Amino acid sequence: MKSNYGLCLSGQRCILVPYRPEHLPNYHEWMQDPFLLEMTGSEPLTMEEEIQMQKEWRDDEKKCTFIILARDLLSRGELGDNGEKIAVPVIPTEHIEKDRKEESYPNLIEQTLNAMIGDINLFLSEEDDYNSDDEENFQQQQMLQTKAPAPTELTQAELDIMIAVESHRHKALGTELALMMMYYGATALKLRRFYVKIKDTNHASIKLFKEKLGFVECAYAECFGEYEFELKCETSEEMSELIEQKWQSHVKKTQPISAADETVDGNGRIYDVYECPVTD
C-alpha cells in the first residue's frame, strides 16, 4: 500500500516501518522456517518471487504492511554498520494527539535491519452483509443489481501478526502491536471491522484476541481447524474511540500509577507518526 510506504509508527516497545527492499534478505530467511510457513499458511518462495511480491504488495491498496522493529534491539545514538549514529524515533510522551511529527528518518530502514522481529498486515476488503436466508435482504440485492454499482468501500480488514524471531515471542508484544495497527486502520484507512483467523491449536493468539482485546468468535472452519474472531463498530470513528479505550486500559495494567493523581505515568498515546522517506 503506497499510502503507508513513507510512514513510520513509533510506539512504546515497537516501531513499525514500511516493508522495503532492504528487508528482503531477512524476510526471505524467515519464510524458509517450516514453523512460520505452517502458522501463516504460506508456501516457500524463491528470492526472485519474494522481490516481486514485495513490489506487488507496495502497489496493492488492499494490503497494508509494516515490518516490526523491537526497541530493545535498538539504542538511540549507537553507531550503525556505516559508522553513522542511528537516529531512532523516541517513545511517545504526550497525552494529546498531534499531527505528524516534523522529524524525518531517511536512514531508518537501512540502520535498523538488525532490529527486525516480524511483520504486521491489514488485508482490506468490502463487508458482505448479505444473508441468503433473509428474503427482504435478497430482494434488496436484486434491486441493486439493476443499478449502476456503487464505489467499493473497504471498511474491514483481516489483521495478521507474525513474530518471526523466536527470542521475541511470548514477550507480551501482541497487544501493543494489534492496537497500533488497528488504530492506524481506523483513523487513516477508515476501517470499522477487524477480524483474525487463528488455528484452534494457537492458544496464545486466541487468548490475546479473545480475552485481552475483546474480539468475539464469529465463525469456525472445522475442515481447517480455524477460528475467526471479530471486533466491529458501526463507524470507523467509534472504532478509533474503542481502540483508544483499550489502549488506556492496557497502559494502566502495564505501567506504574502516579500516587498523586492516579494517572498513568508516561503517556496515553498509541504511537507517533514520522516521515520515513521513500528511496525505491
Side-chain angles (χ1 to χ4, degrees), residues 36-48:
L36 292 177
L37 292 173
E38 180 182 356
M39 288 297 100
T40 59
S42 303
E43 295 291 334
L45 302 178
T46 66
M47 188 60 171
E48 290 72 21

Side-chain angles (χ1 to χ4, degrees), residues 19 42 60 69 250 268:
Y19 181 29
S42 303
D60 191 338
L69 306 181
H250 169 68

